[in-house]
Amino acid sequence: MSEQQWDEIPSDLNPHLPMEAPSGGSTSSVDPLIELNAWLGFARACAHSARVQAILLTLQTDLRLLLAHRKDPERFPALSAERVHWLEETREQMEQALPPGFQSPELPGETVSGSILDLASAVAGRARDHQRVEGMDETKTAARGYLDRLPGMLSALARYEEFLAGAPPA
């Protein structure tokens, strides 16, 4: 994506417009992807690691592109399979950086940044499920794959942040 195209992405992606609630679902007034992007910004502000901060900024950029494409698919490109591959590789790198046996604590809360990332992982799962209910176009397999893998990536970042902060493994 060129810098000019990036600058043309609308900064107001209508985060407060009411959404149609799926039958039996909640009536949230904020799109889960926009909520997730806000949580990622909060996580980035609290992260101990410059590496985690850079990854979170990249994730926010990807979500912004996903939102812009959804709003105007003729003007903004869809997420590519390359982005899904990057997500998978980065998650593996983060998991490999942990010492053997380092696992999630039974309950979130060992560190602020890890807790925020655990919350963001839960919101990412809700965003993924919302996209499925909304009937994400089957041709957008890269976007679906990205959203399927995003909760796991955020969980891996949470564990990495906890490790860096010296949190005891579970």
Side-chain angles (χ1 to χ4, degrees):
M1 169 175 260
S2 73
E3 189 170 320
Q4 181 181 2
Q5 284 177 309
W6 176 254
D7 290 339
E8 293 174 4
I9 293 177
S11 59
D12 175 16
L13 294 170
N14 298 321
H16 302 293
L17 293 179
M19 297 183 315
E20 299 274 338
S23 60
S26 68
T27 56
S28 173
S29 64
V30 178
D31 182 320
L33 289 176
I34 293 171
E35 180 184 358
L36 175 59
N37 217 353
W39 281 113
L40 294 181
F42 187 36
R44 184 167 49 94
C46 294
H48 296 95
S49 162
R51 182 179 184 188
V52 171
Q53 291 171 346
I55 291 167
L56 290 170
L57 181 60
T58 301
L59 295 174
Q60 287 185 279
T61 302
D62 287 346
L63 288 180
R64 188 172 178 205
L65 178 59
L66 183 68
L67 287 162
H69 175 74
R70 191 173 66 190
K71 187 172 185 175
D72 189 354
E74 299 298 320
R75 198 163 153 210
F76 300 103
L79 284 179
S80 67
E82 177 182 292
R83 300 307 310 142
V84 178
H85 182 70
W86 171 85
L87 195 67
E88 291 171 338
E89 280 188 345
T90 305
R91 177 184 174 181
E92 288 175 15
Q93 291 170 3
M94 300 311 292
E95 289 172 344
Q96 290 171 357
L98 297 173
F102 194 90
Q103 297 177 1
S104 299
E106 286 187 34
L107 297 171
E110 292 299 319
T111 66
V112 171
S113 57
S115 297
I116 295 167
L117 286 162
D118 283 330
L119 178 64
S121 178
V123 174
R126 187 163 32 92
R128 173 199 59 215
D129 296 345
H130 176 76
Q131 296 302 317
R132 286 184 182 147
V133 169
E134 290 293 309
M136 180 183 279
D137 185 348
E138 291 298 325
T139 62
K140 297 179 181 157
T141 56
R144 180 175 293 237
Y146 192 91
L147 292 175
D148 283 346
R149 291 163 180 82
L150 190 53
M153 171 63 167
L154 295 171
S155 180
L157 290 174
R159 301 301 69 81
Y160 184 74
E161 276 288 302
E162 288 168 348
F163 168 68
L164 290 180

